[in-house]
Every structure is written in structure tokens, then in C-alpha cells.
Amino acid sequence: MGPKLSKRAARKAAKKADKKAAKLAARVAKKKVRTLSRQNLSLAWSTIRGRKGSFAAVLIAVAVGSAVITACGVLLETGISSGVPAERYARAAVVVGGYQAMPVEGDNDPRLSERVRLPADTVAKVAAVKGVEHAVGDISVRMSVLKKAAVLDGPPVYGHGWSASVLAPFTLRAGSAPQAADDVVLDSDLARRAGVSAGDTVTLVAGSAPGSYRVSGVAEPSVSFDRQSAVFFTDDRAAQLYGTTDRIDAVGVLAAKGTDPGDLADRINKAVPGAATYTGDDRSDVETLDVGQMRSFVVEVASAFGATMILLVVIVVSGTLALSVQQRRRELALLRAVGATPRQVLRMIGGEAVIVGGMGAVLGAVPGILLASLLHSVFTAVGALPPGFSLVTTPLPVLFAVLVCVLAARIGGWLAARRAAKVSPVEALGDVAVEPKKLGWVRLTIGVLLVLGGLAVAIVLPIALPGESAIDGAASSALVLVIAVGLLGPKLFGGVAALLSRRRAGGVTWFLAVANSRARARRLASATTPLIMGVTMASAQLFSATTLAATAHDQVVDGVIADHVVTSDSAGISPELADVLRGVPGVRTVGPVARTSTILTWPDGDAIQYRVSTAQGVDPAAVPDTMRLDVLRGDLSALTGPTVALSRLVSGTVGADVGGSVDVHLGDGTVEKAKVVAVYENGLGFGDVTLPHDVVLAHTTDHLDQWLMVNSDPKADLAAALKPYPTVGLHDAEAVTVAPTDSADNGISLVLNAVLLGYLGIAVVNTLVMATISRRGEFALLRLVGTRTSQVQSMMRQEAGIIVLCAIVVGTVAALPSLVGMSYAIRHTVFPSIPPLTYLGIVVAAALIAWPAVMVPARLALRPPAVEAISR
């Protein structure tokens, strides 16, 4: 009685569904409508209401994608429009300084790492402009404050002339202005932290030389200082510490009453060519250079990450829509059978995609703003943004995210509906029971070509091309192969299932799991693609970073051959200290190393290309005894005057070899046409550009060295020679750190990768839940023919294992060419650095995401009685 009733109920439910689909088909067939017409959208909305479950998955994919894109847009707009309030220049209506970037036509101007100074006569030129009440020249000298023989913690300390105190302004709360060369005035917060007051003595360090000063007064700024602390000397003493009287850092302008700052800035620009004017929050860019550099960093990161997320959203939404369309094959077959044309089916699915995409995009807007606020807080916490850098929120990023997501849904709907719309009515009805085994020839051809292209850029480019183009090509192959996996997924998934079918052990549940995986390869491939993408992207991102880090570390460990390294706890080491150590008995070599950042430019057709590169300044006479750069061509002893040595990667990138030349924009914007005298291998560890020490030192902000590398006899008493300098210390070679890279800060990279992988994780859960829930009828039928519930659960556990195994294998294989190609381009070995525990973490994460996404909905689908489940 039970089986007969079950079959009758099943037939009744099928007929009911067919009638419902036929009515819908009739409505479609009668109308000639456009995708966004009222009639088509009304029809699409009725379809969505009837299939809330499958469209909910698409809605979630779009909403989460909209949130991430909105967050990227908010951060991008924040980097472009926001800033931090001025502190030391709070009273100045306009600040005149150098332009802290290299102008590039048709592109973002890259920031300069060192301060661009102005001629001292700029003060008089600015003072003569109409509307200027008072113009004050300002200089900054990096200082350290000692408390109990240790460097005081807190924001950086800068020394200034007392005349510049009016720009905040500062008000004396105790004592008097500095009168003698050894008098100083401290800002109130610095005096409190140092534990001194007016009349006390404080030890200040400029460079490496400590000096005792009398605190003549304590001054209170008009606004709170969060990013800096101020020490004021007499103007003459400040100029002496600054090192020159013919240059200044900036000019603070106090405007006459009723003068508009913007108009005044325009007049100053005309009167003082070559100088830049700053008003509003932009004044803080002149106070401390890190504000402008951080702003540029945020713009670059948000742009690059946003572009990647847009591509991923298109892929994920397209895959989710494809899965939704596959689950409606019976309905679409009936539509075609009763006379609906391919164009009508396409328009109906297009209308559904637009409605769901629009709803999801709007729903993701508010969470996107919250995500942007969270990322803003994280960026500030790790030091990528300065304190007080406010978040800018306007409707523009939301509108852009909505537009992108609707377009992604529309494109995804069109791609998903093409096959369903093209099938003839007879084929449609005969095709609904079993998935087609063959992929379309266009899809198959594109997938194969992408595989070949991905392998070519990963393997051929690192061999054939010099420089970073090989690395960039190898890195891009991972994304190309992920797209190929999306196209060839059914073939790949079916192939893995076919291999697993050879395993004879496992019983009936194993047989059912493998048979289902082979028969439903299209659906499972669509559901598994986000998981494969997650494994591939995680492997490519994490292991490319570990490969770079391991290569840089090995280059430094093998390259530092000095016996000792002198480092500093303050801003740097005074160049004079090298001469002091050279005079110590037993010292053979002292090699000073200064660090900076340069911009290399070279012609590329009618355009000019540029690259920002870390650089070091070295004494060529000391290099053979202190560091091993692994010179490939040329001679470092010729590194004097307008010359440069380049790493192998940068030499290939800019197209300049030994004997050639390249334009080097030094840290302060000074341009040198430098002759290339050597090409070396160890650029990741020491910097891609090596210049003469005196050239780098002359064009840095503080004119200080990073390290001193020392070779000496064991009996040389270096500690005694360094004792008068409390901010420096003597260490072994391990104290040398890897050269800073041009990429984003590691902490920010990890956060953004976590967001990206989090989105893919949500997409994985979304599609797997959707694919599993849609099989309620299959589960009910299995139970009606005698399969126990425990056996169905066992079958699903084994299917989940197949999904995880397929994702890990295919995802790893898709990532390997990229990693192998990049490793070869970087260090001439095909073995990337893959920490086993990190890879195990990726495997475990994939399993923890996919397993519950299959098993939890499977258990829920098995709860109702089989008869009730199949009749729904």
C-alpha cells in the first residue's frame, strides 16, 4: 500500500508542477517583450516568488559581492578625498611646500619618499603676495628624547625654530621662549611623558650625538597633537641642526583678515612657480610625509583589490545563476515545448537576473559601508592610515557597486540561459532527466585555450622574458586557470569521479556517491567552482608571499659578510660615526648603508614607464668586505658619481644593462641620468637599486645612515667606541633586515586576502547548500525504493569527500604553474616555498567550509517523511 501511494503522490506532484510550468510557458509564449519591459519584469518577479529558495542563493552572492565592492569604493574615495586635520600648521591658512610626487601624464603621480625642500628665499616671495599677513619659514629636524638612558616611546619628535610656533599656535604655559643655544621649549604632552618641566634638563639626540638642554619653557598647542611631538630651539640653533641655511621645508602663511585660503593659494602658485600650495586637511601632508604616502597607498590598494573583487563577483554570480538555471531545466523545457522562443526565454531569465541582482546590490550597500568602516579601523590599527584619517562616505561607491552587481547578474544570467534557450522543444523535453554529457564546443575550446594560455604565461614567460613582466605573467596564470576550471569544471569533476569509480571497496553508498558525481558533473562543478577558486587563490597568494620572503631572507643571510652591524634605536645613524669606528684599532672596514626609495623611468614607445624601487647607498670600497650582492655583470668598484647598479629583475624590467643608462628620480625628486655599472642578483634582500653612498645621503630627509657594517679583529673594542652614543647598538649580522618591498604592508595584504577568501567561502557555502537542498526529491525517491536514511547520509558524506578532494586537487594544480613560474623568475628554481602547515591549513579550511555546507542541508532535507518530501 505504501509504495503505491508513494508513486501516486509522486505522479500527482509531477503533474502539478508541469501544469504550473505550462501556465507560465503560455504567458511567455503570448508576449513579445523586452528584457526590462514592465511585462517581462512582472513575469520574472512571479517566477522569483515561486522559486524563492534557488533565487535566495543568487541574492546572497550578489549582496555579499556588493558589500565588498562598496567597501572598496568607500576606501578609494577616502584615499582620494579625505585627510587628517593639520596640527602644527593649524593656524596657517595656506602652507607652501614642494610637490611630493613625480608628475606622470595620464597616470597617478607616484609619491616621493623624501622631503622636497624649498629655497630659503621662498619666504620673501610668499610674503609679497597680496593677502599674506605673515609668512614663516619652517624646518624640521628629527630628534629623540632620552629618559633614563632609553629612547622615549611615542610619536616621532621634530625640532623647529621658535619663530614657527605661531603656525599652530603654541602658547607658553610655563617658563619662557628659548634664548640661548642650549635652551628648548617642549610641547606639554612631550614634557609630561619625559617627566620634565621648565628649568629641568633634558637629553636630546639629533642623529647619533646626544646633547643636554635646559627646558626654558613648556608650550601648549591650540589643537591636540596625535602624530608628532614638537621641540623648539632658537632659530639659529635649529638651522645649525638642520645643516643648511639656504633651504627650508615649508612656508606657513597667516592670511590677512577676510582672505579666502583658496584664492590666496592660487595667487601664491602664480607668484612662486615650482612650489605647491596646501589648504585644509592637505596641510597635514607637509607636516609629516607619511600622511601623503599613506593616502597614496590606500588608493592603490583599494583600486587593485576592487578590480579583483569585481572579476570574482562576475565569476561567482555567473556560476550561481548557472546552477539555478540547471535546476530549472524541466520548467525551461516545458516553456520551449509550448512555444516560447529562445529570445523570450533569454529575456525572462535576464529579467530575473536584473531583479535579483538589483535587490542584492541594494541589500549589500549598508553592510558594505560597515565593512569599509571595519577595514578603515584595521588599516589605522596596523599603521597603514594615520590617526584622525576620516572615512568619507558618499552615495557614489554605493551607486557604482549597484551598477557593477546588476551588470554582473545580467551577464551571468545571459551566459547561464544561452544553452537552455537554444535547445529545440523536442530535445528540451527529452533532455530534462539526464544532464548532457558533452560540453558545448565553444565552451570547451575556450577552456582548453585558457589552460594552454595559463600554462604558457606561467612557464614560458619566466624563461623567455626578463624582469618583472615574467613574474607578473606567472602570477596572472592562476586567475586564468581558475576561469578555465570554471569552463571545464564538468570534465574535470567527471574525470576525478571516473578515477574514483575504479575503487571497488566502499559498498552501495560509495557506488551511489560516485555515480551521482559522474551523472551530476555539471551541477557539482558549478557548486564546487568557488571552492576550487578559494584553494587556488589562497595557495597562489600565500605561497607567492612565502616564496618572496624566503628568497629575500636567504639573500640577506648569505649576503651579509660583515662581522658586526651597528644599528640605531632612533631615526638613524650620523654619518660621522663611521669615521669614529674607522679610527678604532683593529677595525678593518666600515661600510655605511643608507636607505631610500627611488623612481626609475624609461621610454616605452611614445609613453614613459616608471617603477618605484627600494634603494641603498653604499661605499663601493667597503662592499667586498661587508656584503655579497652576487654581481652577475659589471663591477661595483665603478659605483661613483652618476652611476647605478641594478638588480637582475629591475635591469630586465627597465631594459638597461651594464653600459646603458636609466633616469633615476632620487627620494627628493632630483633626477640623475645614471650609467649602469653592474647588475646583481640579491635585489630582494638588499634593494633593487644600489647607488653611491654620498648621493643617497645628500637626497634623504634626515641625512642619516640605516646601518654601519663593520669588519674587525676580535680584540677591537667597538663597544667602548660606541658608549658615548646611547641610541646605537652593536649586533651580529642577523640584525640586518630585508629591504622593504614595494608591495602593500603584510598586515594589510593578509586582511584583504581574508576578505577575498571570506567572500569565496560564503559563495562556496551558498552554492553547495543550494545544490544539496535541490535534491530533496532524489533523497525521497531513494528512501521510497528502500534505501535507509543512514545510507543516504553515508552517500552524502562520501559525496562531500569527493567534492573536497576534487577542489583541493584541482585548486592546487591550478595554482602550481603560477608558483613554479614565479619561483623560477625570482630565484631560478622551480621549487616554490610551500610551508607544509600552511598548506595543511588550506586543506582543513576547505574541508571545514564544504563539509557542513553539504551535510547540514542534507540532514534537513531528510527530516520530512519521504512521501511528504516528494510531493512538495
Side-chain angles (χ1 to χ4, degrees):
M1 184 69 181
K4 289 183 180 179
L5 179 61
S6 303
K7 292 178 181 178
R8 192 180 302 118
R11 286 196 298 270
K12 185 177 179 181
K15 287 180 180 179
K16 184 178 179 182
D18 290 347
K19 287 181 180 179
K20 186 176 180 180
K23 289 180 181 179
L24 180 61
R27 291 178 62 188
V28 174
K30 288 179 182 178
K31 297 178 180 178
K32 277 189 170 182
V33 293
R34 296 186 179 276
T35 301
L36 297 181
S37 67
R38 180 179 178 182
Q39 295 92 334
N40 191 64
L41 293 177
S42 176
L43 177 63
W45 176 246
S46 65
T47 308
I48 293 170
R49 292 179 61 187
R51 288 184 169 272
K52 296 184 181 70
S54 60
F55 283 106
V58 181
L59 187 75
I60 292 172
V62 175
V64 178
S66 173
V68 178
I69 294 174
T70 299
C72 293
V74 171
L75 290 177
L76 177 61
E77 191 170 22
T78 296
I80 294 173
S81 306
S82 184
V84 294
E87 294 179 347
R88 196 161 40 81
Y89 296 144
R91 186 185 172 196
V94 180
V95 176
V96 183
Y99 183 57
Q100 286 294 149
M102 185 191 80
V104 177
E105 186 177 353
D107 199 350
N108 292 327
D109 295 350
R111 299 286 301 183
L112 297 170
S113 61
E114 310 292 345
R115 185 176 292 279
V116 179
R117 292 186 166 91
L118 299 174
D121 62 1
T122 305
V123 179
K125 293 179 180 179
V126 172
V129 175
K130 180 183 178 181
V132 175
E133 180 181 295
H134 189 34
V136 181
D138 183 36
I139 57 177
S140 298
V141 182
R142 186 67 185 271
M143 311 289 297
S144 296
V145 179
L146 296 185
K147 182 179 181 180
K148 297 180 179 179
V151 176
L152 185 67
D153 292 332
V157 180
Y158 296 96
H160 313 276
W162 176 247
S163 62
S165 64
V166 299
L167 299 176
F170 282 84
T171 304
L172 282 169
R173 297 302 183 194
S176 60
Q179 301 293 329
D182 61 348
D183 284 351
V184 292
V185 171
L186 307 184
D187 75 62
S188 55
D189 179 70
L190 179 61
R192 178 187 57 79
R193 290 186 290 111
V196 297
S197 56
D200 292 340
T201 299
V202 65
T203 301
L204 302 178
V205 181
S208 301
S212 293
Y213 293 85
R214 184 181 71 88
V215 180
S216 65
V218 175
E220 185 79 26
S222 61
V223 296
S224 175
F225 273 33
D226 297 320
R227 303 185 311 276
Q228 58 188 307
S229 296
V231 176
F232 292 98
F233 302 87
T234 63
D235 289 350
D236 290 341
R237 178 56 177 164
Q240 183 182 0
L241 293 172
Y242 189 67
T244 181
T245 57
D246 60 353
R247 311 291 288 182
I248 57 174
D249 287 350
V251 180
V253 179
L254 304 182
K257 187 175 181 181
T259 302
D260 179 73
D263 294 339
L264 180 57
D266 292 339
R267 289 196 292 271
I268 293 174
N269 280 328
K270 295 177 181 178
V272 189
T277 55
Y278 303 83
T279 59
D281 287 348
D282 290 344
R283 294 171 297 172
S284 61
D285 290 9
V286 189
E287 286 184 349
T288 53
L289 298 182
D290 59 337
V291 174
Q293 293 165 353
M294 291 175 179
R295 186 202 308 276
S296 177
F297 170 77
V298 171
V299 170
E300 292 176 5
V301 167
S303 301
F305 184 66
T308 302
M309 284 307 307
I310 288 173
L311 180 59
L312 289 182
V313 168
V314 172
I315 294 173
V316 169
V317 171
S318 298
T320 309
L321 279 166
L323 186 59
S324 173
V325 171
Q326 287 174 17
Q327 292 175 353
R328 300 168 57 196
R329 292 170 65 234
R330 183 183 186 90
E331 172 191 320
L332 297 177
L334 287 171
L335 287 172
R336 294 286 289 116
V338 298
T341 66
R343 180 174 294 181
Q344 288 172 326
V345 174
L346 276 171
R347 285 174 175 174
M348 182 190 73
I349 295 176
E352 295 166 357
V354 169
I355 292 175
V356 176
M359 293 173 59
V362 172
L363 289 175
V366 173
I369 295 173
L370 296 177
L371 177 61
S373 178
L374 177 61
L375 290 175
H376 176 267
S377 300
V378 172
F379 281 25
T380 304
V382 300
L385 283 177
F389 200 89
S390 57
L391 190 70
V392 175
T393 305
T394 67
L396 188 60
V398 175
L399 295 176
F400 178 76
V402 170
L403 177 62
V404 168
C405 289
V406 171
L407 286 176
R410 182 68 184 91
I411 294 170
W414 179 78
L415 293 174
R418 281 189 315 135
R419 186 185 180 278
K422 288 181 179 179
V423 177
S424 68
V426 176
E427 291 176 339
L429 286 176
D431 204 31
V432 293
V434 180
E435 289 185 353
K437 293 183 179 180
K438 293 184 178 180
L439 294 177
W441 69 270
V442 175
R443 177 175 177 176
L444 185 63
T445 302
I446 295 175
V448 171
L449 290 177
L450 285 176
V451 170
L452 296 177
L455 293 176
V457 298
I459 298 173
V460 177
L461 290 186
I463 298 174
L465 294 182
E468 293 176 328
S469 55
I471 299 176
D472 296 338
S476 65
S477 71
L479 192 55
V480 173
L481 291 176
V482 162
I483 298 174
V485 166
L487 295 173
L488 302 177
K491 285 282 186 184
L492 297 173
F493 201 91
V496 173
L499 290 174
L500 294 174
S501 66
R502 298 179 181 180
R503 177 189 168 197
R504 298 301 179 186
V508 65
T509 57
W510 174 253
F511 171 79
L512 288 173
V514 174
N516 277 330
S517 299
R518 298 185 67 179
R520 296 176 176 273
R522 281 180 178 267
R523 294 192 188 186
L524 289 178
S526 296
T528 311
T529 296
L531 187 60
I532 295 173
M533 290 175 60
V535 173
T536 302
M537 300 293 282
S539 300
Q541 295 282 347
L542 294 177
F543 299 141
S544 61
T546 56
T547 301
L548 285 169
T551 303
H553 177 267
D554 292 344
Q555 289 180 358
V556 169
V557 169
D558 297 337
V560 177
I561 56 178
D563 298 323
H564 306 284
V565 176
V566 178
T567 64
S568 174
D569 295 332
S570 59
I573 302 171
S574 295
E576 298 80 12
L577 190 58
D579 293 329
V580 173
L581 293 181
R582 290 187 183 104
V584 175
V587 172
R588 296 188 297 271
T589 308
V590 177
V593 179
R595 279 282 175 85
T596 187
S597 178
T598 59
I599 303 174
L600 306 180
T601 58
W602 67 97
D604 183 15
D606 295 333
I608 297 294
Q609 300 293 327
Y610 72 87
R611 184 190 189 278
V612 180
S613 303
T614 55
Q616 62 174 354
V618 300
D619 178 1
V623 168
D625 295 329
T626 55
M627 69 172 65
R628 185 184 296 115
L629 293 179
D630 192 7
V631 176
L632 303 175
R633 299 179 292 278
D635 185 3
L636 283 175
S637 64
L639 193 68
T640 57
T643 58
V644 65
L646 303 176
S647 71
R648 172 179 58 85
L649 291 175
V650 168
S651 172
T653 300
V654 304
D657 212 320
V658 174
S661 62
V662 63
D663 289 338
V664 181
H665 297 250
L666 299 170
D668 63 354
T670 302
V671 184
E672 279 198 355
K673 193 169 189 64
K675 180 181 178 182
V676 180
V677 298
V679 175
Y680 56 92
E681 181 66 31
N682 294 344
L684 287 175
F686 292 94
D688 287 315
V689 176
T690 298
L691 294 160
H693 177 259
D694 57 339
V695 172
V696 171
L697 205 65
H699 297 279
T700 57
T701 302
D702 300 317
H703 307 297
L704 300 174
D705 287 320
Q706 184 85 16
W707 306 300
L708 298 178
M709 296 186 176
V710 183
N711 266 342
S712 65
D713 297 332
K715 295 182 179 180
D717 195 355
L718 296 174
L722 296 175
K723 190 173 182 180
Y725 307 95
T727 60
V728 299
L730 189 65
H731 305 277
D732 294 331
E734 289 77 11
V736 175
T737 57
V738 173
T741 61
D742 300 328
S743 60
D745 178 80
N746 289 336
I748 296 302
S749 297
L750 289 175
V751 170
L752 295 181
N753 283 328
V755 173
L756 184 149
L757 297 176
Y759 174 69
L760 291 177
I762 293 173
V764 168
V765 173
N766 195 28
T767 54
L768 288 178
V769 168
M770 179 181 175
T772 305
I773 285 291
S774 67
R775 298 172 62 185
R776 288 175 300 188
E778 174 192 334
F779 297 157
L781 184 60
L782 284 171
R783 287 187 289 166
L784 288 174
V785 298
T787 308
R788 297 190 303 273
T789 300
S790 61
Q791 289 178 313
V792 178
Q793 291 176 343
S794 175
M795 177 192 73
M796 293 307 298
R797 282 194 294 270
Q798 296 183 71
E799 279 193 34
I802 293 173
I803 289 172
V804 172
L805 177 63
C806 184
I808 292 171
V809 171
V810 176
T812 302
V813 170
L816 276 178
S818 168
L819 296 172
V820 169
M822 192 187 71
S823 178
Y824 184 83
I826 291 172
R827 54 182 185 176
H828 289 308
T829 174
V830 296
F831 299 105
S833 177
I834 302 178
L837 288 179
T838 305
Y839 183 71
L840 179 61
I842 294 175
V843 172
V844 171
L848 290 177
I849 291 172
W851 196 275
V854 173
M855 294 309 302
V856 171
R859 288 183 177 275
L860 293 175
L862 290 170
R863 280 185 178 179
V867 174
E868 180 183 338
I870 204 170
S871 65
R872 288 183 177 179

